[in-house]
Structures are given as C-alpha cells and as structure tokens.
C-alpha cells in the first residue's frame, strides 16, 4: 500500500446478494462520524451524540452485539458494555474522538489491544475488533477531519487535527499520539526547502526549559514531519495583539527568552528569526513558562563565522543584514557579513514592542529606518518604561553590532540581574508547568505493559483555551 492510500471501509449487507457498490445509504448531515460494519449482522451507524456504548446487554446500549453476530464461544466473552466511543471538545481546536476499552476480554484497534479502562484516539479508517483482533466489528470514519493527505507512517501513529500555523516552508497541525493521548504540534516541511534537515538536527541537540522539545521525527518521500511538544497558551504575538505588557510582565517573559538564546549562542547556534510569533506561552498570560520555537532558519556558527544569507522577518532584522547600494537609496538583501548579534537586535525590537505596543521600525521604508537605527524613544517614556529598560533597549538597538550587547551582557544588565523577585517568579512558573505535566499522568492498567503510562497533555486542562501559531 502506498503512503497516500486510504483504506476503504467494507460494508457487509444483511442481504449477501448486495455489494457495497449496490447499496446507497444517505448520511445524516448532522452526523460527525460513521461506523461501517465489518460484520454482516451489524448495520451502518451515524454518530451524532457525544457518547456511544457497544456491548451485549439489551438496556442502555447503542450498538448491541447478538448471537447472530458471533459464535457462542465469542459471545460468551462479549461484555455487557464492551467499549465506549466518545468525543470531547479540546480548547478552540475542535473535537477529538476516543475509544475506551471497558472489557477484560479485549477491544482491539487496528489489530492492537487497547487494554481495560484505557482509551486511545479514534481516527479515520480505524478498525475496531472485539475479543480477538480478527473479530472486526466496525470501521470508523470521522467526517470532521481529513487525514487522507498524510502518509501511512503518520496516520498509524497520530490523529491529526486543525492547523495551528503555516508559513513558507509548511504548516503546523495539532496531533495526538493515538496510544499515549499525548498532544503535539506536528510540523510538516517540504523536502525541497532549505530547512528540511537543519531544524531537526539542531533541535535534537538541545535541552533547555525555555526551548521547545522535539519528540518525533518522521521521514517520508516528499515531506518530513517533526513532532514538537504542544505549548497550549498561544504565542507572544497573540498576547501583544490584546495589549502591550507592563514592564514586570515583559521582564518575566523576556528573561526566559534571553536565557534560551544565551544557551543557543553558548552552543554556537544563531536563531536568526526571533520574533513574538516564535515565542510560545504555556498559558495565555504574561505569567507563564516561555518556550522559544521555530529553528528552521537557525545555523551553527563559530566565533569567526560571518553569516551571509538573508533570512528572518523584516521588522525584526538587524541593519547589518541590509546593504545600501552605492549612489542609490535602494536597499538590497545582504551579501555581506553579519554575526549572531542579529539575535540581540531582534530581542531589542521585541522588548520595545512589549513595552510600547508598537514596533520601533514600522510603516514605509522599514529597511532605511532599520539601517539608520532611528526609533522613537518618547514612546518608551509615554509607556512609563523605567530608565533601566530604556537603557537596555539602547544597548541592543545599536547599528554598530560590535558595540551591541551579547546575551551574556544582556542577562548581566541591572534590568534583569538585580530583579530577584522576577527570577523567583520565573522559577516558580517553570516548576508549576512541569508539575501540571506530571500531575496529568494517569496509570495505564494494560496487563500486557504494566509500567507504561498514559500522559494526558495540557490540551485537556482548562489552560488550553487558545491555539498555538
């Protein structure tokens, strides 16, 4: 079977003279899913409620298994309620469908035993069996999701849902690992793009509380898929769209970003695309754990390395990335040299934006404004930015990058270094988010693997009201 082939459900009519092609059964337009029978004595079921029970009992059951369906030997092992199908709303991202095994005698999904009191994600074209993996009863189809464009490698492991964000090189979708129920941000990247191996290579070498973790990597013919930890609070960009931040709030967030970039630079990695959209929040509040994301433009460098490729987001680019043509006011993308201090400039732009609600370089002719390094310091004063905050911005937005602060000096600046209360707040927030992850682990009572645990990710907690771009 090819990567993009889709399994076609087998519909067995109660009248063996009819084939699937000869039977036309109108789907209920309000149904969110459908069960196609794999047993000739079961019928097609449209799913419209949020919960369905299947088993042999006669009362309080939605799908009944009778002696017509199975031999007496199999029927003796069918439980009164053998499995339950439910769907649950996850934040603003839509519904996720689950199947829970409520029988000691086994419910199987695609030939694998779920285990009593365990639940797995149910997604398009999954086959459900009871008692043994050969006793198929239904094939499930989800009318609200379409995973047909994903290769079999991905579909076997993940149930893929709505788009969290998209860009030049691909898209990011919410995905659930079917067995563990853990949620991920699944990034799909075209193989012909320049970042195809750079990002997973860099991410696999990193481990820091303020950098997003890579947990899966799937290589297919045309795309790679990167499974990143899902951070449910959205981005700093989304938070700034609501309002600019108070100075202490900005400091709590940007202290964590500075620590992450310092960690990168100490490992000879330049990020090259620092911006609010790449700063993820554990919850939609300034008081949260922060994770730096999107390493598609990052690059390994040394002290003597000078970078040349134009990349990044225009409003956050450092002046040395531009070169001004001789005898002309026209600006071109750089073919000259720049260093990791482009990250310091971007950090200064983000800090200015956090405190004032506007970018220091915006509007028409951004390149010229950036090249000259001219910004409006009075917006900082109007926004009641402290002298220390104004000073660190001044040190970051220096056109001459040899005079610009690196991240060691940024973190030693009095604005960060002397704020003991802020540092304690950050440590508490990181510990809090870590505790939430651990407390959301529940035991898996599957006797075949007693030590295995199911992790219920933060998507299932009240903090998941926003999506992640």
């Amino acid at each position: 079977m090819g990567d993009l082939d889709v399994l076609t459900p087998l519909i067995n009519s109660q009248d063996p003279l009819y084939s699937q092609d000869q039977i036309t059964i109108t789907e209920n337009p309000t149904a969110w899913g459908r069960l196609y029978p794999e047993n000739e004595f079961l019928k097609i079921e449209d799913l419209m409620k949020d919960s369905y029970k299947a088993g042999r009992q006669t009362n309080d059951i939605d799908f009944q298994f009778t002696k017509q369906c199975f031999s007496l030997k199999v029927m003796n092992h069918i439980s009164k309620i053998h499995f339950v199908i439910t769907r649950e709303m996850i934040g603003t991202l839509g519904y996720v469908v689950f199947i829970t095994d409520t029988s000691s005698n086994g419910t199987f999904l695609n030939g694998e035993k779920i285990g009593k009191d365990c639940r797995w994600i149910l997604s398009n074209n999954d086959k459900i069996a009871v008692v043994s993996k050969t006793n198929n009863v239904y094939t499930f189809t989800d009318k609200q999701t379409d995973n047909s464009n994903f290769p079999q490698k991905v579909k076997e492991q993940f149930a893929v849902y709505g788009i969290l964000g998209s860009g030049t090189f691909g898209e990011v979708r919410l995905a659930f690992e079917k067995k563990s129920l853990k949620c991920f941000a699944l990034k799909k990247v075209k193989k012909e793009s320049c970042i195809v191996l750079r990002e997973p290579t860099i991410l696999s070498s990193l481990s820091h509380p303020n950098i997003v973790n890579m947990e899966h990597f799937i290589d297919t013919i045309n795309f790679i898929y990167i499974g990143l930890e899902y951070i449910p609070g959205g981005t700093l960009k989304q938070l700034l769209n609501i309002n600019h931040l108070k100075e202490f709030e900005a400091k709590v967030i940007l202290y964590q970003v500075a620590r992450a970039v310092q960690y990168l630079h100490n490992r000879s990695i330049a990020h090259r695309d620092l911006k609010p959209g790449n700063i993820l929040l554990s919850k939609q509040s300034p008081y949260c754990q922060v994770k730096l994301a999107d390493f598609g433009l990052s690059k390994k460098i040394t002290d003597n390395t000078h970078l040349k490729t134009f990349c990044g987001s225009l409003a956050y680019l450092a002046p040395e990335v531009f070169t001004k043509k001789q005898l002309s006011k026209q600006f071109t993308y750089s073919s000259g040299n720049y260093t990791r201090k482009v990250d310091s400039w971007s950090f200064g732009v983000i800090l200015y934006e956090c405190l004032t609600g506007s970018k220091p370089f915006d509007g028409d002719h951004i390149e010229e404004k950036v090249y000259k390094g001219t910004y409006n310091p009075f917006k900082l004063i109007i926004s009641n930015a402290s002298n220390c905050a104004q000073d660190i911005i001044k040190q970051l937005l220096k056109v001459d990058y040899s005079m610009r602060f690196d991240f060691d000096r940024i973190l030693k600046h009095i604005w960060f270094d002397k704020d003991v209360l802020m540092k304690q707040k950050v440590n508490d927030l990181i510990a809090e988010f870590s505790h939430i992850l651990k407390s959301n682990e529940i035991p898996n009572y599957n006797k075949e693997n007693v030590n295995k645990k199911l992790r219920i990710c933060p998507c299932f907690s009240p903090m998941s009201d926003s999506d992640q771009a």
Side-chain angles (χ1 to χ4, degrees):
M1 181 180 290
D3 274 353
L4 297 179
D5 289 343
V6 179
L7 296 173
T8 302
L10 172 64
I11 303 176
N12 294 311
S13 169
Q14 293 184 20
D15 185 344
L17 295 177
Y18 292 102
S19 69
Q20 180 177 353
D21 292 335
Q22 294 169 314
I23 299 173
T24 302
I25 299 178
T26 304
E27 291 189 41
N28 191 311
T30 62
W32 50 263
R34 191 175 242 202
L35 295 177
Y36 289 95
E38 295 284 347
N39 181 298
E40 64 179 326
F41 295 103
L42 297 173
K43 62 185 179 69
I44 291 175
E45 303 284 358
D46 281 327
L47 306 178
M48 291 173 284
K49 301 189 300 180
D50 287 338
S51 180
Y52 288 89
K53 298 174 184 176
R56 64 176 171 84
Q57 72 181 28
T58 56
N59 299 322
D60 191 30
I61 204 80
D62 298 288
F63 315 131
Q64 186 183 22
F65 301 136
T66 67
K67 293 178 181 179
Q68 283 184 307
C69 300
F70 304 106
S71 67
L72 181 61
K73 182 179 179 181
V74 173
M75 278 303 299
N76 287 337
H77 290 85
I78 298 286
S79 298
K80 291 181 179 179
I81 301 176
H82 205 93
F83 62 83
V84 177
I85 294 173
T86 56
R87 70 167 188 161
E88 298 177 16
M89 174 66 78
I90 305 301
T92 59
L93 295 170
Y95 286 96
V96 176
V97 183
F98 302 93
I99 180 169
T100 303
D101 185 355
T102 55
S103 172
S104 299
N105 297 319
T107 301
F108 297 79
L109 195 65
N110 302 322
E112 294 189 62
K113 189 175 182 180
I114 298 173
K116 182 170 170 51
D117 296 327
C118 293
R119 69 174 185 168
W120 287 4
I121 297 284
L122 191 59
S123 59
N124 260 339
N125 298 311
D126 281 347
K127 288 187 180 292
I128 304 168
V130 295
V131 181
S132 78
K133 62 183 179 182
T134 59
N135 289 326
N136 289 324
V137 287
Y138 292 111
T139 292
F140 169 74
T141 59
D142 188 343
K143 292 171 62 178
Q144 297 183 335
T145 63
D146 180 14
N147 292 339
S148 60
N149 290 326
F150 289 91
Q152 196 63 28
K153 277 186 184 179
V154 174
K155 291 189 289 186
E156 286 173 357
Q157 190 169 356
F158 295 103
V160 185
Y161 291 87
I163 294 177
L164 299 171
S166 58
T168 306
F169 302 115
E171 65 181 22
V172 181
R173 287 179 177 262
L174 179 69
F176 290 85
E177 198 170 32
K178 289 185 177 181
K179 296 179 184 178
S180 72
L181 305 188
K182 189 176 179 183
C183 48
F184 294 92
L186 188 66
K187 188 169 188 176
K188 175 183 177 182
V189 182
K190 300 172 187 175
K191 271 205 165 176
E192 64 264 26
S193 74
C194 61
I195 74 165
V196 66
L197 291 177
R198 182 186 296 161
E199 183 168 20
T201 300
I202 287 176
L203 278 172
S204 64
S205 70
L206 304 177
S207 178
H208 190 276
N210 297 121
I211 293 176
V212 69
N213 293 321
M214 181 183 78
E215 301 193 33
H216 293 278
F217 176 79
I218 300 174
D219 192 359
T220 66
I221 295 173
N222 298 315
F223 296 91
I224 64 164
Y225 295 85
I226 306 169
L228 304 167
E229 65 173 324
Y230 176 71
I231 310 300
T235 67
L236 177 58
K237 179 181 178 180
Q238 293 168 332
L239 192 64
L240 291 176
N241 285 340
I242 300 171
N243 203 354
H244 68 85
L245 304 179
K246 296 176 182 177
E247 187 165 324
F248 186 78
E249 294 172 340
K251 197 184 298 189
V252 166
I253 289 176
L254 293 183
Y255 177 68
Q256 297 178 70
V257 176
R259 294 199 318 175
V261 182
Q262 181 192 46
Y263 172 87
L264 293 176
H265 287 191
N266 287 344
R267 281 152 185 78
S268 302
I269 298 168
H271 188 277
R272 300 202 296 179
D273 197 19
L274 285 184
K275 59 183 179 181
N278 288 337
I279 298 169
L280 308 181
L281 313 178
S282 65
K283 55 185 176 182
Q284 197 175 36
S285 163
Y287 300 120
C288 64
Q289 183 172 0
V290 170
K291 297 263 188 174
L292 185 59
D294 201 339
F295 290 79
L297 299 178
S298 301
K299 188 174 177 64
K300 282 282 255 184
I301 57 174
T302 66
D303 288 338
N304 297 321
T305 300
H306 283 80
L307 304 167
K308 294 184 177 183
T309 305
F310 172 82
C311 58
S313 301
L314 192 59
Y316 302 92
L317 288 179
E320 60 267 29
V321 179
F322 300 102
T323 55
K324 192 173 183 181
K325 283 187 175 180
Q326 297 294 327
L327 306 176
S328 170
K329 291 185 178 180
Q330 183 179 358
F331 288 82
T332 61
Y333 300 147
S334 179
S335 58
N337 297 327
Y338 60 92
T339 69
R340 72 186 80 180
K341 282 192 176 180
V342 293
D343 289 340
S344 300
W345 178 278
S346 301
F347 186 82
V349 174
I350 296 169
L351 175 53
Y352 183 100
E353 185 177 359
C354 286
L355 296 179
T356 67
S358 61
K359 300 178 183 67
F361 311 103
D362 210 350
D364 297 330
H365 310 296
I366 293 180
E367 298 95 329
E368 186 170 358
K369 294 173 184 175
V370 170
Y371 195 77
K372 293 179 178 178
T374 54
Y375 65 92
N376 186 353
F378 296 106
K379 282 190 178 181
L380 292 167
I381 298 170
I382 295 170
S383 302
N384 296 317
S386 67
N387 290 335
C388 287
Q390 293 180 54
D391 181 69
I392 195 171
I393 290 172
K394 182 179 178 181
Q395 303 304 328
L396 292 166
L397 299 183
K398 286 187 178 291
V399 172
D400 182 353
Y401 65 80
S402 67
M403 303 295 292
R404 193 182 305 152
F405 272 18
D406 61 20
F407 278 84
D408 289 337
R409 294 186 70 184
I410 290 170
L411 286 168
K412 288 177 182 176
H413 190 278
I414 188 172
W415 193 64
F416 282 129
D417 191 46
K418 300 300 181 183
D419 197 333
V420 177
L421 180 64
M422 177 274 298
K423 291 180 180 179
Q424 184 58 53
K425 181 69 174 176
V426 167
N427 290 336
D428 291 345
L429 290 168
I430 292 173
E432 176 188 343
F433 189 60
S434 176
H435 175 72
I436 288 171
L437 291 178
K438 289 179 181 178
S439 65
N440 281 328
E441 290 184 354
I442 62 172
N444 179 352
Y445 295 107
N446 186 343
K447 294 179 181 178
E448 295 178 356
N449 192 352
V450 176
N451 295 322
K452 183 179 176 183
K453 287 187 175 182
L454 292 182
R455 295 184 64 194
I456 307 300
C457 71
C459 301
F460 294 91
S461 67
M463 66 192 296
S464 61
D465 293 334
S466 66
D467 55 334
Q468 173 179 329

